[in-house]
Amino acid sequence: MMPSKIVAKCAKILADKKWNIAFAESATAGRMCAEFSLTNESGKILRGGINCYEVFVKKQFMQV
């Protein structure tokens, strides 16, 4: 499986700037974190993610 072209491009830019990224996802159900994990730069940029699909999880853990 390969990441989308836009995600691969974003990952490269983040790595070049020595920035990193983390996700709190709902409707995407972890898709963005999964996409970034497929890039060559994932070990340099990806901090992790949490999937907060259900309202209970959003309220209790993310306080939204």
Side-chain angles (χ1 to χ4, degrees), residues 14-34:
L14 289 168
D16 289 346
K17 293 180 179 263
K18 296 185 180 357
W19 291 357
N20 47 55
I21 193 166
F23 295 93
E25 300 181 69
S26 178
T28 55
R31 173 77 186 260
M32 292 309 300
C33 191

Side-chain angles (χ1 to χ4, degrees), residues 32-54:
M32 292 309 300
C33 191
E35 283 258 351
F36 275 86
S37 75
L38 298 172
T39 66
N40 292 333
E41 292 80 11
S42 62
K44 298 175 188 171
I45 65 165
L46 185 59
R47 295 288 182 145
I50 184 169
N51 182 6
C52 306
Y53 201 79
E54 186 179 331

Side-chain angles (χ1 to χ4, degrees), residues 2-3 6 10 16 22 24 26 43-44 52 56-57 60-63:
M2 299 286 294
I6 189 72
C10 287
D16 289 346
S26 178
K44 298 175 188 171
C52 306
F56 173 80
V57 177
Q60 293 298 312
F61 294 103
M62 298 304 293
Q63 299 180 355

